[in-house]
Amino acid sequence: MMGKLIALAIVSTIAAIFAQIELSSDPLVVTKDVVIKKNRSEVFGFVANLRTYPSWYPGLVWMQEVEHSNMKPGKRFLGAYWVPIIGELSENFKIVAYVENKKLAFESDFFAHQPRIVMTFKDEGKEFTRMTWKMYTQRRSYFFFGTFYQIFKYTLDQRVTGALLTLRGNLQGEGNVFGI
C-alpha cells in the first residue's frame, strides 16, 4: 500500500512539473493549403468577413462583431460552437494581424487550446488564390503538449480540412462539397 502511495506521489509530482515547464514558442497544430478559383481580393474579402465562418467552418453556429469598426488588429468578435452533450459554447475572438489581401490572423480564448489562426493569401496564376491556414495553440506546457495536444492535432486537422473544402466549394459555386 505504501509503495502505491509513493508511486502516486512521484507521478503527481512529475505531472505538476511538466504542467509548469513550457515550450519556447506556440506549437503549430495544423497547417493546410487550399487553392481556390477566385482572385485574391475576392477570397480575402470573404474570409476577412468573420460573420461568414458559420457557412464554412464546421461546428461554428454564429459569429458577430462586438464593436462595429473597420477590420484591424484589436477588433473583437463573439461566436459560438456547437458541442455535443454540452450545447453552445461562446468564444471571444480578437484580430491580431490584418494586411489587406495578404494576411489575416486572430486569436480565441477557447479554454481547451487557446488557438491562434494565421491565414495568408497568394496569387496562384491569374485566376487562382492559394490560402494557407496555420493554427497554433497558445498552450505551451509540456503536459498539454504530451497529452491533449495529440488529440487536438488529429481532430482539428480533420475539421480544418473539411472547412477549407467547404470554403472552396462555397466560393467556386459548388455548394456543400460533402452533400450533407
Side-chain angles (χ1 to χ4, degrees), residues 47-96:
V47 172
N49 179 357
L50 269 63
R51 292 176 302 235
T52 68
Y53 280 54
S55 72
W56 59 273
Y57 197 86
L60 190 59
V61 180
W62 55 267
M63 178 79 83
Q64 65 187 29
E65 295 173 297
V66 172
E67 70 263 347
H68 299 288
S69 63
N70 292 334
M71 188 63 98
K72 62 184 177 192
K75 183 174 176 93
R76 296 178 305 131
F77 289 81
L78 182 63
Y81 282 93
W82 176 256
V83 179
I85 300 171
I86 297 171
E88 276 190 19
L89 275 181
S90 293
E91 189 172 343
N92 293 294
F93 299 87
K94 181 175 75 174
I95 303 299
V96 294

Side-chain angles (χ1 to χ4, degrees), residues 94-105:
K94 181 175 75 174
I95 303 299
V96 294
Y98 182 84
V99 179
E100 183 102 23
N101 296 328
K102 294 182 181 176
K103 182 178 183 179
L104 174 65

Side-chain angles (χ1 to χ4, degrees), residues 26-33 57 113 115-119 132-137 149-164:
D26 294 344
L28 179 64
V29 180
V30 177
T31 184
K32 296 280 180 189
D33 288 296
Y57 197 86
H113 64 103
R116 184 177 79 251
I117 288 85
V118 178
M119 292 170 279
T132 301
W133 171 290
K134 292 184 178 184
M135 180 184 289
Y136 300 85
T137 177
Y149 171 82
Q150 304 307 322
I151 296 166
F152 283 122
K153 185 171 180 56
Y154 174 77
T155 57
L156 291 170
D157 185 83
Q158 301 304 306
R159 180 173 280 184
V160 171
T161 297
L164 296 182

